[in-house]
Every structure is written in structure tokens, then in C-alpha cells.
Amino acid sequence: MDFGIRNKRALVFGASRGLGRATALQLAQEGCDLVLVARTQASLKQLADSLSETYGICCQWLALDTTDKHALHHLLDYLDDAELHIDILVNISGGPSIGSALNTPSTEFTMAFDAMVGFFIELSRILGQRMVNAQWGRIVTVTSSGVIKPIPELVISNTLRSALTNWMNTFAQELAASGVTVNCIVPGRIHTERVNEIDAMRATKQGITIAQQAERSQASIPMKRYGTEREFAATVAFLVSEPAGYITASSVRVDGGLVNRYD
């Protein structure tokens, strides 16, 4: 299938590793020009150089930390100075600290809100208006299966990603007639460093090995395995494609059947 996004420009967050890196690779294969954003400068430069050389695309990068109060202005100035119009926005935020509802004070939610929610709301609002003016655009925001069924020990993620999901769905309705789609992707247990960290935390808590915890975790998934980064990235690529133009205000699960709304 021709996704119809060759020469479109995509801004991808979290691009130095995991889901963001896999998404950048997939979009490069589809012929998208890229602006990669993450905190680690060396990893970004290495990836950008590799993708440019391999796929013949224009791949730029910017090291940025969304916890910095000046980060949004820095990013917008970078895009404007280079006259980079963004056709596709892929919002991926880092995972917040692990903790239970009982033991996590409200101040920790406040601290995480700006980086995980506020930053991406404001960026989506500004770039979304530019997409409306161009009469074409795609915004995809990566959330978590915790927005459907809360994940134990991930109370900040469960709470804040749910807020972001509802804002994106509201935004999608407002932009629906303009040629701009806004969707969320709900990953389950995709085999990333983050999943390894959570397995390690739970293994320590239960007094078992990480391998034993991973085996237990995978046994609870109907497909009996973790998802791959490539499977996740392929879903992103479809949602930002031209053929997916009638899909908006949706939350698409990539979870191997893990979350059942009727449990």
C-alpha cells in the first residue's frame, strides 16, 4: 500500500530510543522527511545521519527536554527559523515515576503535568492550526493501556495520559472538517526498555528473577508475547497515512488483546 506521505515532514518525539526511534525508522522508510526530538544529543545525531544516508531523506534533530519551561519556545523558534512546516506530529512522552495512588502525593502529579500533558497540548494546538491552514495534517499521541484499565504502580501515567487523551479527542472533533486527523495509540506491553524497567521493579518487589516476571507478564497477554517496536511503528505509519484520512478521534490499541473493556 502506498501511504501517500512521501516528502511529508514528521516531527517525532522520544526519537532516541524505543517507540520513538522505531517510529522514526518506519516513517523514514515511507519517505518522510523528519525532525527528531529527544533529550540525548549524541543518539539523535547518530540516528539522523543514519536515516538520511540510508533513505535519502532530510532528517534534522533537536535535543530538547520537555521538563524545561523554555522547551516549547525553543522548539517553535527552531521550526520557524528553519521554515519547517510540520505535516505529521507524533507525540511521545517519557514514562513518569513509578508509584501507587496511596503513596504518590499530588505535588508529583503537578510536577509531571507540564512535561507530559501541557507541553503536548500547546504544541498540538499551535501546529494543529498550521495544519488547518494547509488543509492537511496528522497528529498521533501515544498514551498507554492504563487509560483504559489502570496499571498498578503507574498512577501518574494512568491519570495524566487519560487527561491528554480526552483533550486530543476534543481537539479531533474541532479539526475534523479541516483535513486534519487527531488520534491516539494505546500500546500495551511493547518490548522496550521501559517494559524491562517495569519488569525489573516488579521482580524485585515479588522476590523473583526478571526473566520469571517477564514470563508471567507475557502469559497474561492473549498473544502470549510482548509486541515488537516494529508492530507499533507500523500502526503509527498507517494512522498518519493518506488512506487513513477518515480515522479521527480514535484510540487504537496495539496490545495483543491485553485490555478488555468488559473485564
Side-chain angles (χ1 to χ4, degrees), residues 61-188:
W61 58 272
L62 178 67
L64 195 76
D65 186 346
T66 61
T67 63
D68 181 347
K69 64 180 181 179
H70 302 296
L72 181 60
H73 293 299
H74 186 194
L75 173 58
L76 292 173
D77 286 346
Y78 173 81
L79 296 176
D80 291 343
D81 289 347
E83 298 183 345
L84 299 175
H85 173 74
I86 300 301
D87 303 291
I88 297 166
L89 172 61
V90 182
N91 294 319
I92 304 176
S93 67
S97 59
I98 295 169
S100 67
L102 181 63
N103 296 318
T104 304
S106 61
T107 51
E108 292 195 26
F109 292 87
T110 303
M111 291 172 58
F113 181 88
D114 285 345
M116 289 185 59
V117 181
F119 178 93
F120 292 104
I121 285 177
E122 190 64 7
L123 179 64
S124 298
R125 190 182 66 80
I126 293 169
L127 296 188
Q129 181 58 63
R130 297 178 184 183
M131 293 175 187
V132 169
N133 294 341
Q135 291 294 289
W136 198 94
R138 301 285 187 263
I139 298 173
V140 169
T141 299
V142 179
T143 62
S144 161
S145 60
V147 305
I148 299 173
K149 183 177 181 180
I151 303 170
E153 305 297 331
L154 294 182
V155 66
I156 294 178
S157 176
N158 296 339
T159 304
L160 297 188
R161 295 194 199 282
S162 295
L164 185 59
T165 297
N166 281 308
W167 187 90
M168 289 294 169
N169 287 340
T170 304
F171 194 46
Q173 299 288 338
E174 295 177 9
L175 271 54
S178 67
V180 180
T181 67
V182 181
N183 292 291
C184 294
I185 292 186
V186 183

Side-chain angles (χ1 to χ4, degrees), residues 156-262:
I156 294 178
S157 176
N158 296 339
T159 304
L160 297 188
R161 295 194 199 282
S162 295
L164 185 59
T165 297
N166 281 308
W167 187 90
M168 289 294 169
N169 287 340
T170 304
F171 194 46
Q173 299 288 338
E174 295 177 9
L175 271 54
S178 67
V180 180
T181 67
V182 181
N183 292 291
C184 294
I185 292 186
V186 183
R189 295 171 190 164
I190 310 299
H191 200 185
T192 63
E193 292 176 40
R194 174 69 169 172
V195 165
N196 290 340
E197 290 167 2
I198 293 171
D199 279 346
M201 178 273 294
R202 290 177 176 164
T204 299
K205 193 171 184 178
Q206 297 179 55
I208 60 177
T209 67
I210 296 174
Q212 287 172 321
Q213 173 56 38
E215 185 177 349
R216 288 183 183 180
S217 181
Q218 291 177 72
S220 70
I221 302 169
M223 286 193 176
K224 305 303 179 187
R225 65 175 178 86
Y226 289 146
T228 69
E229 293 177 351
R230 184 171 182 178
E231 288 169 325
F232 169 87
T235 307
V236 178
F238 175 69
L239 282 178
V240 304
S241 72
E242 186 69 36
Y246 203 58
I247 301 173
T248 198
S250 294
S251 288
V252 179
R253 290 166 43 204
V254 185
D255 67 357
L258 174 65
V259 179
N260 186 337
R261 286 182 178 271
Y262 304 104

Side-chain angles (χ1 to χ4, degrees), residues 14-63:
S16 63
R17 69 173 195 167
L19 301 182
R21 183 183 180 91
T23 297
L25 175 60
Q26 185 69 49
L27 294 181
Q29 291 173 351
E30 299 299 331
C32 286
D33 293 327
L34 298 172
V35 179
L36 308 179
V37 177
R39 288 179 291 185
T40 310
Q41 180 173 322
S43 298
L44 284 174
K45 184 178 186 307
Q46 182 181 31
L47 179 59
D49 290 346
S50 174
L51 294 179
S52 296
E53 181 178 352
T54 302
Y55 298 104
I57 62 170
C58 177
C59 191
Q60 294 156 277
W61 58 272
L62 178 67

